[in-house]
């Protein structure tokens, strides 16, 4: 079955960096838009960064200039490079992938999430 799996989370000090990865696997025709979200327990899930199939990107104002989203189409993987991390960035980060299945149906899949903790 088609799956998306995040990796790269961890604990860092303020000002540190992490790179998150999200890889899609299984049988599908094309990986379309991919989005990183984050969520703090008890709060709404927040869009962090988005990248379209053509490479256009969007960022939340709170991360603009610090985070960079990119994709490697050959590996069906999206990355989120996070620099100058702040305690406010602490959250569970989720990858959302829109993909076209082998029979041309559209799928919207979520990874299980990866914890990012920024503290001293």
């Amino acid at each position: 079955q088609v799956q998306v799996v995040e990796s790269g989370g961890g604990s860092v000090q303020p000002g540190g960096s992490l790179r998150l990865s999200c890889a899609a696997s299984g049988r599908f025709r094309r990986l379309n838009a991919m989005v990183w979200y984050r969520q703090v327990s008890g709060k709404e899930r927040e869009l962090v960064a988005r990248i379209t199939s053509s490479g256009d990107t969007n960022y939340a104002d709170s991360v603009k200039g610090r985070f960079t989203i990119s994709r490697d189409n050959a590996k069906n993987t999206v990355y989120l490079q996070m620099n100058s991390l702040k305690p406010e960035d602490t959250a569970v980060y989720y990858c959302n992938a829109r993909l076209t299945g082998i029979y041309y149906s559209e799928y919207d899949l979520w990874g299980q999430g990866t914890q990012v903790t920024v503290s001293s």
Side-chain angles (χ1 to χ4, degrees):
Q1 60 182 9
V2 181
Q3 298 179 357
V4 292
V5 179
E6 304 99 333
S7 62
S11 181
V12 297
Q13 295 184 343
S17 298
L18 285 172
R19 190 182 75 159
L20 306 183
S21 298
C22 174
S25 62
R27 298 182 64 191
F28 57 90
R29 292 186 181 275
R30 185 174 65 184
L31 194 60
N32 302 313
M34 301 188 75
V35 189
W36 284 101
Y37 292 82
R38 66 186 181 188
Q39 186 172 29
V40 178
S41 181
K43 297 185 177 181
E44 294 293 316
R45 190 168 295 186
E46 174 192 22
L47 190 152
V48 177
R50 179 177 185 269
I51 185 166
T52 69
S53 59
S54 61
D56 295 327
T57 59
N58 298 97
Y59 298 93
D61 288 341
S62 60
V63 307
K64 194 172 298 182
R66 300 187 297 119
F67 291 10
T68 302
I69 188 170
S70 61
R71 63 191 294 161
D72 186 336
N73 291 330
K75 297 181 178 180
N76 292 320
T77 300
V78 64
Y79 305 96
L80 185 67
Q81 178 66 47
M82 305 185 295
N83 298 325
S84 302
L85 283 162
K86 304 175 181 180
E88 307 93 274
D89 297 318
T90 297
V92 177
Y93 284 71
Y94 296 91
C95 176
N96 172 256
R98 297 270 292 181
L99 59 87
T100 301
I102 59 175
Y103 296 111
Y104 299 100
S105 56
E106 190 77 9
Y107 294 90
D108 191 340
L109 302 180
W110 291 85
Q112 292 298 114
T114 185
Q115 177 71 47
V116 171
T117 302
V118 185
S119 66
S120 299

